Structures are given as structure tokens and as C-alpha cells.
Amino acid sequence: GVGGAAMEEGEGLVSVDYEVSGKVQGVFFRKYTQGEAKRLGLVGWVRNTSHGTVEGQIQGPTARVRELQEWLRKIGSPQSRISRADFSNEKKIEALEHKEFQIVK
């Protein structure tokens, strides 16, 4: 392996909250987000808010979390129109706080 300490940490885990605005409700946005998160091996949650946005939390290896952030910013579900994606409360975590990525009602 290359550099013992770096490998043991892996690339580190992060947790980040997100909120996506635009036409993101009623277009299977949560289902697609869950599918993409699972494909990337991430955990967390997603839900619709009362003010028409979709919000949640992502946790996992930094590089994978970045991929989902990019997906939330630009792609989303086929019928969605994302106007903006805000990310907040990013922090390094020692261990994942969720077992899977779930859709919260």
C-alpha cells in the first residue's frame, strides 16, 4: 500500500446536509436520489419539505459524496428542473450515522 496512515483513514467520511430547489417534487426526485446514493454506496435520507424543496443528508466517503452533490446540482430525476442546490453543515465523521439511504415521509 501507499503511506500507511492515509490508507487506514481511507479518504475519510463526511456528512453534509442538502436542499434542492426547483421543480423537484412530484417527479420521483426522492426515488432517483435514493437510487443514485445506493449506487454510490452512500447513506442518509431525503424528504420533501412543505415549501416545495427536497432536503436531506448524505454521508459516506468524501469523493462519493462529491459525486452525489454534483448529481443533485445538475441532474436529478428525468422530469426535474433544478434551480439550485444548497449544501451546509459539512463535517468529517468517524462513522456513518445511518444504516442506509432512505426516503423519509
Side-chain angles (χ1 to χ4, degrees):
V2 190
M7 287 307 291
E8 276 161 50
E9 271 181 52
E11 46 186 356
L13 298 171
V14 294
S15 173
V16 65
D17 297 341
Y18 62 89
E19 184 170 12
V20 185
S21 311
K23 185 189 166 194
V24 292
Q25 287 192 4
V27 291
F28 300 105
F29 197 91
R30 292 167 302 167
K31 194 170 182 323
Y32 275 87
T33 301
Q34 181 188 46
E36 191 65 11
K38 285 187 167 170
R39 189 181 73 76
L40 290 167
L42 300 171
V43 301
W45 54 273
V46 58
R47 73 173 174 210
N48 284 340
T49 69
S50 57
H51 51 277
T53 64
V54 168
E55 67 173 8
Q57 187 175 65
I58 316 164
Q59 294 187 348
T62 309
R64 293 296 176 91
V65 168
R66 294 281 174 263
E67 282 189 57
L68 190 59
Q69 285 179 292
E70 202 54 12
W71 185 90
L72 287 166
R73 200 180 275 125
K74 299 194 172 138
I75 302 168
S77 65
Q79 256 80 56
S80 66
R81 285 208 237 327
I82 299 162
S83 55
R84 59 187 284 193
D86 294 302
F87 300 101
S88 57
N89 302 324
E90 183 167 321
K91 56 183 192 280
K92 285 190 149 68
I93 52 174
E94 291 302 308
L96 300 173
E97 295 158 354
H98 307 284
K99 285 195 172 58
E100 56 187 4
F101 195 95
Q102 58 195 154
I103 295 172
V104 180
K105 294 285 183 267

